[in-house]
């Protein structure tokens, strides 16, 4: 089978290496705003940690009987860093081998992985928002406090916003780059000039014109 | 008939004329757009912080300009039960002096710290007038961080004016007195033999701000009133106004007003530093308290210091000079360039302006007019830049803008007069309501006045506000000075009696303001850094409660085993690490005050129960929706009781509700 073009391989290599940045920035964030918190509270989720106003949020949440957020609550923190490392290696392998098959499977795995991650996040959020202490001082019948998986949700006096942070965006961009490359490669099969440009090969426009006519 | 009509008309006209000559009511002198200029919309910030002395309240107040809104009263020299200042075990040492615990003082002047002659927004210094002291307020926490007592002083009025790099704040004694190391038990009418004055130089550490009494200059027994450091070309000098050169010890209003001229004293403090280095100082035995508050231990320590270095001008030539100044000078202000020193004789009809260049020349030429008590007196005409003629009655204080203009307050004629430094012409005058004392232009005493506003601090308000019985508010009046003419735009009442004030651009401070104290940095010996650390310990008849507070409960909130005769120390730590969540603490019958505890802080209330029974305790600062549930009980048993010490939160339930073992 045909190999990936050299520029595609370079781009996939760079995109994969860029994911290393995700180790140094949060991948996800939840922002909370309330009348008495105009400056907002933020929970930052890293590959292996959770930071931000965790103690403040825990303090507030005890009124409605929510569990305390802590690192121990997330078994994912023990293996996420390795999964991302594997993911980076996966991308680099594509860059080295130029295998189109690998790129296709990479995209499929990314899609499955992304959905799985969001589902995992949903499951945690469901438990966190519904598994409440029955002795809590404030009980609102039928009210759950599950944070939004992505986007906005009103939780009592708080407006909660859930969205990727720097690390998350980098992973998303890396996968999107891989996806675009896949599409472009498909088109290149049918276009000689682009093919040559992309491979830094000399282009004879006259010849191209005559052949296309 | 006709002539009667004419007569009537004439009488009517005369009546109207006389009526129109009478002074008008309090609303006069307000221009049309005044309200808009002083208006700061809800939720918007002011442009300047205004640090205003509280006078006989002993405190420092913080206002916003131009709105005149009061943000905070910082307790400094007086106890403040609202904040537990002087009542909690941690803050009591701050008010310690060589006379023991002093719960009040009279705070007159503010000096904001400077670097290169410009506000640096780090500290505000203030003087205690009655029991001579200087305090340093930290502008990150807006709390008093340090208080140092001044020995050999009686009335620390000429204080705490500051040098252009905050090298020193000054403390000149208003009352001359027998020196502390002499036998002070002398007849009062031996003033001339036995009474001396001093000016103290308090060094300020560049990084920590910690003060130390570097040296004192021993001076003739006059009254030192106000002072300003030189700046720019006059950096290295201090100018201090003096009255009572008659050296009267009784009926000063007459006996200290005899001479045509008193003095402004010029001290070369760089020279003084050289003399100290050269060993010219004399070590004298004194006693003064030095109190420092730590934001790590959340406690103050008070140390009694025992020595001071004293320089006597007779051993130190070229260090001190006197300049004649008409009629009991009060204000003594240096302009932003450092060239002009404005003296304000309280009873004078002119304002003399001295020139630093001429002072230097007169000293070089030894152009003396004799000496006063051994200190050379420079010739008035040789050091005078000029006199402002017919400025008003009773000049007191002068502030400056960045455009070469001076603003002088006139107590007797109740007005502010704007005049030009270069040619000494009067440019504008504005009435104040009433009897203005100090003035403040933001940055006015620095090399870089921020300008824009002028605030007059008035001693009398009379009809300006709704009456409140015989005791009326004192007030500040805000003028817009951005144009040629001063425009009155706002009146606002003040706490205590406002004396000097300074104003600083808000963004120099607001971005550095402390939000919480970090719990992990709390090194208070009785801190309870988590609910699991809460406990109650008996040590003889002392019961120490290591208590935590967090929305919305105390741990412990049920305490038993205290006996009559015990002293209970509630060491309360606020476990919150969130902005603007203080907790309070109060217990019934406490003979002192409440505690107000900021996030991450520990404060201690000592409580001596006077009877047996069960006493409620609760959080006094509305902290949360369940604030009203934030309460507990402490049981006090008779002195011989066998009730053991027990403590808990959430578990001390009736026997019937406790599941069988």
């Amino acid at each position: 089978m045909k190999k990936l073009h050299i520029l595609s391989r370079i781009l996939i290599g760079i995109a994969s290496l860029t994911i290393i940045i995700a180790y140094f920035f949060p991948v996800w964030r939840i922002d909370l705003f309330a009348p008495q918190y105009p400056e907002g509270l933020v929970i930052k989720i890293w590959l292996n940690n959770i930071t931000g106003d965790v103690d403040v949020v825990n303090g507030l949440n005890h009124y409605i009987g929510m569990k305390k957020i802590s690192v121990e609550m997330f078994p994912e923190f023990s293996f996420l860093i390795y999964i991302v490392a594997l993911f980076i290696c996966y991308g680099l392998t594509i860059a080295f081998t130029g295998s189109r098959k690998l790129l296709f499977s990479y995209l499929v795995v990314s899609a499955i992985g992304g959905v799985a991650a969001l589902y995992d996040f949903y499951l945690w959020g469901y438990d966190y928002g519904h598994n409440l202490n029955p002795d809590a001082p404030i009980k609102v019948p039928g009210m759950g406090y599950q944070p939004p998986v992505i986007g906005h949700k009103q939780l009592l006096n708080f407006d909660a916003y859930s969205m990727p942070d720097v690390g998350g965006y980098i992973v998303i961009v890396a996968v999107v780059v891989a996806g675009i490359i896949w599409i472009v490669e498909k088109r290149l099969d049918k276009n000689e000039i682009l093919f040559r440009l992309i491979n830094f090969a000399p282009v004879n426009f006259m010849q191209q014109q005559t052949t296309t006519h | 008939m006709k002539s009667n009509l004419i007569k009537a008309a004439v009488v009517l006209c005369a009546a109207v004329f006389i009526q129109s000559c009478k002074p008008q009511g309090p609303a006069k002198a307000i221009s049309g757009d005044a309200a808009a200029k002083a208006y700061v919309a809800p939720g918007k910030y002011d442009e300047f912080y205004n640090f205003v002395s509280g006078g006989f309240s002993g405190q420092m107040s913080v206002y916003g300009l131009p709105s005149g809104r009061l943000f905070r009263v910082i307790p400094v020299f007086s106890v403040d039960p609202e904040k537990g200042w002087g009542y909690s075990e941690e803050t009591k040492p701050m008010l310690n002096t060589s006379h023991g615990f002093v719960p009040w003082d009279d705070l007159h002047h503010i000096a904001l710290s400077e670097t290169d002659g410009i506000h640096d927004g780090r500290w505000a210094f203030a003087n205690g007038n009655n029991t001579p002291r200087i305090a340093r307020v930290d502008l990150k926490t807006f709390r008093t961080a340090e208080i140092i007592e001044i020995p050999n002083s009686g009335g620390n009025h000429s204080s705490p004016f500051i040098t252009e790099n905050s090298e020193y704040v000054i403390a000149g004694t208003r009352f001359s007195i027998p020196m502390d190391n002499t036998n002070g038990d002398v007849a009062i009418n031996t003033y001339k033999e036995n009474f001396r004055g001093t000016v103290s130089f308090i060094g300020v550490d560049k990084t920590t701000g910690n003060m130390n009494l570097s040296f004192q200059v021993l001076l003739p027994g006059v009254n030192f009133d106000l002072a300003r450091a030189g700046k720019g070309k006059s950096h290295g000098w201090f100018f201090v106004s003096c009255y009572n050169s008659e050296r009267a010890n009784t009926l000063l209003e007459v006996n200290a007003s005899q001479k045509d001229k008193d003095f402004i004293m010029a001290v070369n403090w760089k020279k003084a530093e050289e003399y100290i280095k050269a060993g010219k100082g004399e070590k004298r035995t004194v006693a003064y308290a030095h109190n420092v508050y730590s934001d790590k231990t959340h406690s103050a320590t008070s140390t009694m210091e025992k020595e001071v270095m004293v320089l006597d001008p007779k051993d130190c030539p070229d260090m001190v000079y006197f300049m004649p100044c008409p009629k009991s000078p009060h204000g003594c202000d240096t302009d932003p360039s450092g060239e002009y020193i404005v003296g304000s004789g309280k009873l004078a009809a002119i304002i003399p302006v001295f020139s630093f260049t001429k002072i230097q020349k007169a000293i070089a030429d030894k152009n003396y007019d004799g000496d006063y008590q051994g200190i050379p007196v420079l010739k008035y005409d040789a050091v005078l830049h000029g006199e402002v003629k017919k400025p008003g009655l009773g000049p007191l204080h002068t502030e400056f803008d960045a455009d070469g203009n001076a603003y002088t307050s006139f107590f007797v004629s109740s007005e502010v007069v704007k005049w030009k430094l270069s040619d000494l012409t009067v440019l504008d005058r504005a009435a104040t309501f009433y009897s203005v004392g100090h003035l403040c232009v933001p940055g006015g005493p620095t090399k870089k006045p921020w300008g824009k506003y002028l605030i007059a601090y008035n001693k009398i308000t009379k009809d300006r506000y709704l009456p409140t019985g015989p005791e009326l508010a004192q007030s500040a009046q805000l003028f817009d000075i951005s144009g040629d003419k001063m425009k009155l735009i706002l009146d606002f009442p003040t706490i205590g009696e406002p004396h000097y004030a300074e104003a600083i651009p808000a963004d120099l401070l607001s971005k550095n303001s402390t939000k919480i104290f970090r719990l992990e940095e709390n090194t208070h010996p009785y801190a309870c850094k988590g609910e699991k650390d809460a406990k109650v310990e008996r040590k003889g008849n002392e019961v120490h409660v290591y208590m935590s507070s967090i929305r919305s409960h105390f741990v412990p909130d049920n305490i038993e085993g205290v006996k009559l005769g015990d002293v209970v120390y509630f060491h309360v730590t606020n476990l919150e690490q969130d902005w603007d969540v203080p907790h309070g603490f109060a217990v019934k019958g406490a003979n002192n005050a409440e505690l107000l505890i900021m996030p991450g802080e520990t404060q201690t209330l000592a409580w001596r129960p006077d009877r047996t029974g069960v006493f409620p305790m609760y959080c006094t600062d509305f902290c949360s929706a369940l604030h009203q549930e934030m309460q507990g009980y402490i049981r006090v048993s008779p002195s011989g009781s066998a009730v053991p010490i027990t403590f808990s939160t959430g578990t001390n339930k009736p026997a019937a509700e406790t599941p069988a073992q």
Side-chain angles (χ1 to χ4, degrees):
Chain A
M1 196 178 177
K2 243 173 113 177
K3 289 208 166 193
L4 291 167
H5 302 103
I6 185 71
L7 185 59
S8 303
R9 291 165 67 173
I10 291 170
L11 282 174
I12 289 172
I14 291 172
S16 298
L17 288 173
T18 311
I19 296 176
I20 292 170
I21 295 172
Y23 284 86
F24 303 99
F25 287 93
V27 290
W28 206 268
R29 62 185 289 154
I30 299 173
D31 288 279
L32 299 158
F33 297 91
Q36 51 278 80
Y37 285 94
E39 75 279 17
L41 294 170
V42 65
I43 300 281
K44 294 187 171 194
I45 301 164
W46 301 58
L47 290 177
N48 60 350
N49 199 5
I50 187 154
T51 62
D53 303 305
V54 176
D55 293 337
V56 178
V57 170
N58 285 339
L60 293 169
N61 286 353
H62 93 276
Y63 287 114
I64 46 176
M66 293 173 85
K67 285 183 203 161
K68 284 200 169 185
I69 300 175
S70 65
V71 173
E72 294 73 40
M73 214 175 173
F74 300 91
E76 292 87 346
F77 286 160
S78 60
F79 57 77
L80 258 181
I81 47 169
Y82 303 110
I83 287 185
V84 173
L86 280 176
F87 193 67
I88 293 169
C89 293
Y90 202 153
L92 291 176
T93 309
I94 298 166
F96 279 119
T97 61
S99 163
R100 287 190 166 208
K101 267 189 189 164
L102 273 181
L103 176 59
F104 180 70
S105 61
Y106 179 83
L107 290 171
V108 172
V109 167
S110 299
I112 295 169
V115 171
L118 288 177
Y119 184 61
D120 182 55
F121 184 47
Y122 169 84
L123 287 181
W124 167 78
Y126 186 87
D127 178 66
Y128 179 61
H130 290 87
N131 192 357
L132 305 175
N133 183 345
D135 290 337
I138 299 171
K139 285 194 264 298
V140 184
M143 181 75 188
Y145 306 102
Q146 184 177 1
V149 170
I150 190 160
H152 168 253
K153 197 171 169 190
Q154 180 87 29
L155 301 167
L156 290 184
N157 56 332
F158 276 93
D159 275 305
Y161 296 85
S162 176
M163 65 194 91
D165 207 325
V166 176
Y169 281 119
I170 282 169
V171 175
I172 291 166
V173 167
V175 173
V176 167
V177 164
I180 292 170
I181 285 170
W182 174 258
I183 293 163
V184 171
E185 287 276 348
K186 283 279 183 191
R187 296 225 171 145
L188 281 181
D189 291 349
K190 298 164 192 163
N191 190 323
E192 189 65 17
I193 290 184
L194 272 179
F195 173 83
R196 294 184 78 86
L197 274 175
I198 259 180
N199 286 291
F200 305 116
V203 179
N204 186 332
F205 285 94
M206 293 310 292
Q207 187 197 345
Q208 182 74 13
Q209 271 176 354
T210 52
T211 51
T212 49
H213 275 287
Chain B
M1 184 71 199
K2 200 175 178 186
S3 64
N4 275 352
L5 266 178
I6 291 168
K7 273 183 197 163
V10 166
V11 168
L12 195 67
C13 283
V16 168
F17 179 74
I18 288 162
Q19 203 61 38
S20 66
C21 282
K22 284 172 86 178
Q24 286 155 25
K28 84 169 189 179
I30 301 290
S31 53
D33 57 348
K37 284 189 169 162
Y39 183 67
V40 177
K44 298 287 180 199
Y45 290 150
D46 278 285
E47 226 179 315
F48 293 96
Y49 283 102
N50 191 195
F51 292 87
V52 185
S53 57
F56 45 66
S57 83
Q59 320 296 46
M60 188 188 292
S61 53
V62 187
Y63 291 84
L65 296 178
S67 72
R69 297 181 293 191
L70 176 64
F71 299 145
R72 178 169 168 77
V73 175
I74 303 169
V76 182
F77 294 117
S78 295
V79 293
D80 182 354
E82 172 192 328
K83 300 175 180 75
W85 181 254
Y87 292 95
S88 71
E89 296 305 298
E90 288 79 1
T91 57
K92 280 178 183 172
M94 288 303 282
L95 300 179
N96 192 34
T97 71
S98 62
H99 305 276
F101 182 83
V102 174
W104 169 89
D105 213 310
D106 184 14
L107 189 159
H108 275 230
H109 309 123
I110 311 280
L112 299 184
S113 59
E114 295 177 18
T115 301
D116 296 327
I118 299 168
H119 283 156
D120 60 22
R122 302 205 286 170
W123 309 298
F125 296 88
N127 65 323
N129 204 22
N130 182 48
T131 304
R133 284 173 285 175
I134 291 183
R136 178 173 58 87
V137 170
D138 185 329
L139 295 183
K140 284 197 180 82
T141 58
F142 286 65
R143 286 175 164 200
T144 305
E146 190 178 8
I147 293 180
I148 191 167
E149 192 184 355
I150 313 295
N152 288 329
S153 175
N156 182 34
H157 191 269
S158 185
S159 182
F161 303 96
I162 195 162
T163 57
E164 72 175 31
N165 289 304
S166 306
E167 292 97 337
Y168 296 103
V169 288
I170 196 178
T173 180
R174 166 184 168 180
F175 294 88
S176 282
I177 47 166
M179 293 291 94
D180 291 0
N181 64 329
T182 63
N183 172 24
D185 180 17
V186 295
I188 296 170
N189 65 11
T190 61
Y191 187 107
K192 286 179 177 149
E193 299 98 87
N194 291 322
F195 289 41
R196 302 297 296 272
T198 59
V199 167
S200 308
F201 286 78
I202 318 298
V204 178
D205 186 274
K206 273 186 164 50
T207 46
T208 62
N210 282 334
M211 299 187 281
N212 75 88
L213 177 49
S214 303
F215 58 90
Q216 292 187 317
V217 181
L218 186 67
L219 293 158
V222 298
N223 290 32
F224 294 97
D225 204 358
L226 288 158
R228 285 291 185 191
K231 55 193 115 157
K233 61 167 78 167
S234 54
H235 180 57
W237 288 76
F238 236 110
F239 305 98
V240 186
S241 59
C242 332
Y243 63 103
N244 193 20
S245 55
E246 297 86 350
R247 294 192 292 153
N249 58 279
T250 184
L251 194 63
L252 263 65
E253 70 169 316
V254 174
N255 295 330
S257 306
Q258 295 302 307
K259 290 193 180 177
D260 252 4
K261 289 194 171 67
D262 291 280
F263 300 115
I264 283 179
M265 180 175 72
V267 182
N268 185 339
W269 59 260
K270 291 250 176 177
K271 199 93 187 174
E273 281 181 334
E274 286 169 22
Y275 284 131
I276 287 288
K277 259 193 206 141
K280 296 274 188 183
E282 184 202 335
K283 206 175 266 181
R284 288 200 177 180
T285 304
V286 290
Y288 63 98
H290 185 188
N291 313 328
V292 182
Y293 197 85
S294 161
D295 286 334
K296 297 288 179 280
T297 62
H298 299 289
S299 307
T301 48
S302 179
T303 314
M304 205 54 71
E305 306 278 356
K306 295 196 167 53
E307 280 173 351
V308 61
M309 292 297 272
V310 176
L311 288 174
D312 190 332
K314 76 174 171 0
D315 309 324
C316 307
D318 308 326
M319 182 175 72
V320 184
Y321 299 91
F322 281 125
M323 306 188 288
C325 187
K327 293 307 228 180
S328 304
H330 188 58
C332 167
D333 299 289
T334 46
D335 86 308
S337 74
E339 168 64 13
Y340 301 118
I341 299 106
V342 181
S344 298
K346 296 186 283 278
L347 310 171
I350 50 113
I351 305 173
V353 180
F354 301 96
S355 152
F356 181 71
T357 312
K358 288 187 174 179
I359 293 168
Q360 293 308 296
K361 187 163 186 306
I363 289 169
D365 299 346
K366 298 201 182 300
N367 203 348
Y368 299 152
D369 193 359
D371 71 288
Y372 179 80
Q373 305 291 310
I375 291 169
V377 177
L378 301 172
K379 272 214 177 88
Y380 182 66
D381 291 333
V383 294
L384 190 71
H385 163 61
E387 293 172 342
V388 184
K389 305 286 185 193
K390 294 193 177 168
L393 296 173
L396 289 188
H397 302 281
T398 303
E399 287 274 290
F400 306 92
D401 67 18
D403 308 317
N405 301 312
Y407 301 81
T408 302
S409 61
F410 289 84
F411 179 82
V412 177
S413 54
S414 272
E415 61 185 335
V416 180
V417 172
K418 177 183 179 181
W419 51 277
K420 206 168 169 181
L421 275 162
S422 55
D423 63 11
L424 308 172
T425 52
V426 171
L427 301 173
D428 188 26
R429 44 180 80 237
T432 60
F433 308 88
Y434 306 93
S435 296
V436 58
H438 283 270
L439 298 176
C440 165
V441 170
T446 71
K447 278 158 87 172
K448 189 183 167 190
W450 312 101
K452 200 159 180 182
Y453 301 109
L454 173 114
I455 310 100
Y457 299 94
N458 303 318
K459 307 297 185 192
I460 295 172
T461 49
K462 295 229 159 149
D463 56 358
R464 296 299 285 184
Y465 302 106
L466 287 173
T468 53
E471 199 175 341
L472 299 172
Q474 305 208 15
S475 83
Q477 290 193 292
L478 182 70
F479 292 84
D480 175 2
I481 56 164
S482 55
D484 287 341
K485 299 286 174 193
M486 297 176 276
K487 280 186 194 159
L488 176 61
I489 56 176
L490 184 72
D491 274 18
F492 58 97
T494 57
I495 64 149
E497 176 185 348
H499 292 263
Y500 191 51
E502 282 217 56
I504 182 169
D507 55 8
L508 281 180
L509 303 190
S510 58
K511 62 179 188 292
N512 299 325
S513 204
T514 300
K515 291 187 170 174
I516 59 162
F517 296 108
R518 301 193 67 83
L519 208 50
E520 63 265 29
E521 292 172 3
N522 180 332
T523 55
H524 192 293
Y526 290 98
C528 169
K529 294 208 207 178
E531 293 184 350
K532 63 181 186 317
D533 299 330
K535 60 186 173 189
V536 179
E537 280 180 354
R538 173 177 286 285
K539 284 182 196 160
N541 72 335
E542 291 182 3
V543 176
H544 291 271
V545 181
Y546 296 68
M547 184 182 265
S548 71
S549 62
I550 195 163
R551 285 164 289 177
S552 306
H553 56 275
F554 293 109
V555 178
D557 69 3
N558 277 207
I559 301 168
E560 300 190 9
V562 172
K563 296 177 216 168
L564 207 57
D566 285 346
V567 183
V568 182
Y569 291 93
F570 295 98
H571 308 286
V572 187
T573 303
N574 181 346
L575 294 180
E576 307 282 356
Q577 291 289 274
D578 196 2
W579 189 23
D580 202 9
V581 193
H583 288 293
F585 178 81
V587 59
K588 183 181 171 182
N591 292 118
N592 42 15
E594 68 158 345
L595 297 176
L596 198 58
I597 314 136
M598 297 304 123
E601 191 181 30
T602 304
Q603 290 286 291
T604 302
L605 192 75
W607 179 59
R608 292 168 177 79
D610 67 332
R611 63 194 79 171
T612 58
V614 171
F615 293 79
M617 52 194 184
Y618 70 103
C619 172
T620 53
D621 187 319
F622 209 109
C623 57
S624 65
L626 298 175
H627 160 73
Q628 208 66 352
E629 280 71 13
M630 194 164 173
Q631 66 172 52
Y633 291 104
I634 182 163
R635 173 181 170 190
V636 177
S637 306
S639 57
S641 159
V643 177
I645 292 271
T646 54
F647 57 93
S648 60
T649 291
T651 54
N652 186 24
K653 293 180 179 173
E657 283 182 24
T658 312
Q661 294 294 308

